[in-house]
């Protein structure tokens, strides 16, 4: 090889070295790489070009504290600094990294990378935060994604912040935002959640708002709403009766509707009711005719009173079964909404979801005696004689019994939105 060839080869090697140095990522750049080792505190990442980078293991932990990556997995992260001893690039994710000194704080400000700090107190209009031995100020509007009425509840916590204002000098001026980091985390969780969001999915959530028409639930970066009719099997007058702000719960996704609102790209309908067991599935086995129950008057109609037997299970007391033998013009003359009453099951129709009840005193007494005392053979004969002589027993004529039964069936039909056919004469 001639001297010219040697010189040309050296130039090519020099160009390659210069290109490699020029292509080296800077603080703030996002890089892609492959995890080659996971240690107790640090993760080593191959970012190509015979270069390695490190990252704190905390960046790979999910909300449950578990590492969600393995050796060989690809990863994308931002360059948050350079190790002063080895020159190795330091990567970060959504978690704030420890900063040391004014130089690293300025670098984090320029790159927009989060840093870790401790909330040490409250001040007028916000929070005092210690970051790398420096005092910083976090405005109240930047303390959280949602409004926090009492900022003192955050004192003592360690959190990640993004530096929004940096002024160096003898007395450093730092303004930081916790909200910006939380919003970024929320966006990441929302992206993960939308990938598995579909009707029928059962998801954990936290109640974040209550209105007269329903409850708003945070599913993890995405909000859905439970309409008041989907809060429980029974009737709910206001969501505050069954839920409270901050309550953790499980919900079922009913439907997802896309919107044109970039802040809320989808409208998600949720339900608690869908997860509850249907009480009608075994109502006939649990409630036999003649069974005595205790319930609450739910509402009144001219034809009778509706009684809540248990959540999601309501029976009807026909107006003819309210007066204990005397004529009743309207149920309000006998009972009131919210009143607890003793009643007797008259009939159960699970297919049509109807339960007929009676408040008649003789029926209640009959139910009590039939369950409390065994019937003797002599008693059976007396019962048959009583049935053969309705005038003497005080129950009424057979015609009156048939009218009462037809009236109750008619009321049940009307309560379900159907009108019964009139009896043939």
């Amino acid at each position: 090889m001639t001297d010219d060839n040697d010189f040309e080869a050296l130039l090519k090697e020099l160009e390659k070295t210069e290109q490699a140095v020029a292509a080296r990522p800077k603080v703030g750049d996002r890089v892609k790489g492959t995890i080659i080792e996971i240690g107790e505190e640090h993760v080593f990442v191959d970012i190509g070009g015979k270069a390695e980078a490190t990252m704190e293991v905390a960046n790979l932990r999910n909300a449950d504290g578990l590492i969600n990556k393995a050796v060989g997995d690809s990863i994308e992260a931002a360059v948050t600094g350079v190790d002063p001893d080895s020159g190795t690039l330091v990567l970060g994710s959504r978690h704030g990294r420890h900063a040391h000194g004014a130089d690293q704080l300025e670098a984090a400000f320029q790159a927009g990378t989060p840093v870790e700090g401790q909330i040490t107190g409250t001040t007028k209009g916000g929070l005092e935060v210690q970051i790398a031995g420096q005092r910083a100020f976090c405005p109240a509007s930047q303390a959280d994604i949602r409004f926090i009425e009492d900022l003192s509840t955050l004192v003592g916590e360690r959190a990640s912040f993004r530096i929004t204002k940096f002024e160096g000098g003898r007395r450093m001026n730092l303004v930081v935002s916790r909200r910006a980091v939380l919003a970024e985390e929320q966006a990441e969780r929302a992206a993960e959640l939308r990938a598995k969001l579909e009707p029928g999915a059962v998801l954990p959530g936290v109640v974040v708002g209550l209105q007269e028409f329903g409850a708003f639930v945070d599913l993890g970066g995405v909000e859905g709403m439970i309409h008041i009719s989907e809060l429980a099997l029974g009737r709910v007058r206001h969501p505050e009766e069954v839920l409270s702000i901050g309550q953790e719960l499980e919900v079922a996704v009913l439907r997802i509707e896309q919107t044109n609102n970039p802040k809320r790209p989808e409208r998600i309908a949720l339900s608690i009711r869908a997860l509850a067991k249907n009480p009608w599935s075994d109502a006939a086995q649990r409630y036999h005719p003649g069974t005595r129950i205790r319930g609450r008057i739910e509402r009144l109609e001219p034809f009778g009173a509706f009684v809540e037997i248990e959540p999601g299970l309501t029976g009807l007391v026909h107006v003819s079964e309210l007066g204990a033998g005397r004529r009743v013009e309207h149920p309000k003359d006998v009972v009131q909404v919210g009143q607890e009453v003793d009643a007797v099951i008259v009939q159960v129709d699970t297919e049509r979801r109807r339960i007929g009840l009676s408040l008649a005193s003789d029926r209640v007494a009959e139910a009590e005696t039939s369950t409390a005392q065994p019937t003797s053979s002599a008693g059976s004969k007396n019962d048959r004689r009583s049935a053969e002589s309705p005038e003497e027993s005080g129950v009424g004529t057979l015609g009156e019994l048939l009218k009462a039964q037809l009236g109750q069936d008619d009321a049940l039909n009307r309560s379900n939105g159907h009108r019964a056919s009139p009896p043939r004469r």
Side-chain angles (χ1 to χ4, degrees):
M1 183 177 291
T2 64
D3 293 340
D4 291 339
N5 290 336
D6 290 342
F7 184 71
E8 185 178 354
L10 288 173
L11 284 177
K12 288 182 179 180
E13 290 296 327
L14 180 61
E15 288 177 359
K16 290 180 181 180
T17 303
E18 290 176 345
Q19 290 174 358
V21 172
R24 181 180 174 85
K26 300 181 295 296
V27 173
D29 292 346
R30 295 193 68 84
V31 297
K32 293 182 179 180
T34 303
I35 297 175
I36 57 177
E37 184 180 344
I38 299 178
E40 292 184 3
E41 297 183 358
H42 294 88
V43 179
F44 295 89
V45 182
D46 179 7
I47 58 174
K50 297 182 180 180
E52 286 187 7
T54 63
M55 173 189 289
E56 292 182 4
V57 172
N59 288 279
L60 300 185
R61 298 189 186 276
N62 57 23
D64 298 324
L66 303 176
I67 297 177
N68 53 15
K69 293 285 185 179
V71 173
D73 288 350
S74 59
I75 190 172
E76 181 177 354
V79 179
T80 58
V82 180
D83 188 282
D85 298 326
S86 64
T88 304
L89 296 178
V90 179
L91 306 180
S93 183
R94 61 173 180 263
H95 301 283
R97 63 183 300 270
H98 296 285
H100 304 281
D103 292 342
Q104 288 194 6
L105 288 175
E106 186 175 6
F109 168 67
Q110 296 294 340
T113 54
V115 293
E116 189 175 286
Q118 183 168 13
I119 301 171
T120 56
T122 60
T123 185
K124 184 179 179 180
L127 297 168
E128 290 184 356
V129 184
Q130 284 289 325
I131 302 176
Q134 301 291 333
R135 179 180 177 273
F137 171 69
C138 178
S141 62
Q142 299 299 311
D144 203 287
I145 295 176
R146 302 185 181 278
F147 173 73
I148 297 180
E149 185 173 356
D150 185 5
L151 291 176
S152 65
T153 58
L154 299 177
V155 175
E157 289 189 13
R158 295 195 67 85
S160 296
F161 299 87
R162 180 166 283 120
I163 302 174
T164 57
K165 182 178 180 181
F166 178 89
E167 292 181 355
R170 175 179 291 182
R171 188 171 182 180
M172 191 177 297
N173 183 14
L174 292 176
V175 180
V176 297
S177 171
R178 178 170 174 258
R179 178 190 178 99
V181 179
L182 293 177
E184 184 179 325
E185 292 179 4
Q186 186 183 65
E188 291 181 11
R189 292 196 305 269
E192 295 176 1
L193 178 64
R194 286 188 176 97
K196 57 182 180 181
L197 198 61
E198 60 181 3
V202 178
L203 303 170
V206 179
V207 178
V208 293
L210 298 174
Q211 298 291 336
E212 292 183 358
F213 51 82
F216 291 93
V217 177
D218 180 10
L219 301 174
V222 177
E223 277 190 13
M225 192 196 79
I226 311 174
H227 189 265
I228 191 169
S229 63
E230 293 294 335
L231 287 173
L233 289 171
R235 187 179 182 184
V236 177
R237 290 183 289 272
H238 195 283
E240 291 178 347
E241 295 179 1
V242 293
L243 297 176
S244 58
I245 301 294
Q247 180 177 341
E248 297 181 356
L249 74 172
E250 277 195 339
V251 292
V253 179
L254 295 183
R255 58 186 178 277
I256 305 169
E257 300 174 359
Q258 301 301 318
T259 70
N260 295 324
N261 186 349
K263 293 184 178 180
R264 293 180 181 271
E266 63 274 304
R267 191 180 297 114
I268 305 171
L270 306 173
S271 174
I272 298 175
R273 179 188 177 102
L275 300 178
K277 179 184 176 182
N278 187 349
W280 285 99
S281 61
D282 58 351
Q285 287 73 40
R286 294 185 293 117
Y287 297 103
H288 302 281
T291 303
R292 179 178 176 178
I293 59 96
R294 187 166 184 80
R296 182 180 61 85
I297 302 296
E298 190 176 73
R299 73 179 191 274
L300 301 177
E301 300 290 348
F303 52 81
F306 288 90
V307 178
E308 183 186 45
I309 301 172
E310 63 178 73
L313 208 62
T314 301
L316 172 67
V317 183
H318 187 257
V319 67
S320 63
E321 295 285 354
L322 284 169
R326 64 184 177 86
R327 182 179 178 82
V328 176
E329 294 295 335
H330 195 283
K332 65 182 179 181
D333 298 333
V334 181
V335 292
Q336 301 176 358
V337 173
Q339 177 183 346
E340 291 193 352
V341 295
D342 291 319
V344 172
I345 304 291
V346 175
Q347 60 174 339
V348 179
D349 187 343
T350 54
E351 290 186 3
R352 300 163 74 185
R353 295 195 173 188
R354 297 175 183 176
I355 296 180
L357 303 173
S358 174
L359 296 189
S361 58
D362 56 342
R363 294 218 191 201
V364 175
E366 181 183 343
E368 288 178 339
T369 55
S370 64
T371 56
Q373 298 178 358
T375 304
S376 64
S377 58
S380 299
K381 294 178 181 178
N382 290 333
D383 290 342
R384 285 196 294 271
R385 283 198 296 270
S386 177
E388 291 169 359
S389 305
E391 293 85 355
E392 296 178 5
S393 65
V395 174
T397 64
L398 181 60
E400 290 175 343
L401 287 174
L402 288 174
K403 285 181 181 180
Q405 185 64 47
L406 288 171
Q408 190 176 46
D409 289 341
D410 184 40
L412 288 169
N413 281 321
R414 278 183 287 173
S415 70
N416 197 38
H418 302 285
R419 190 175 185 84
S421 302
R424 295 184 179 178
R425 296 183 179 273

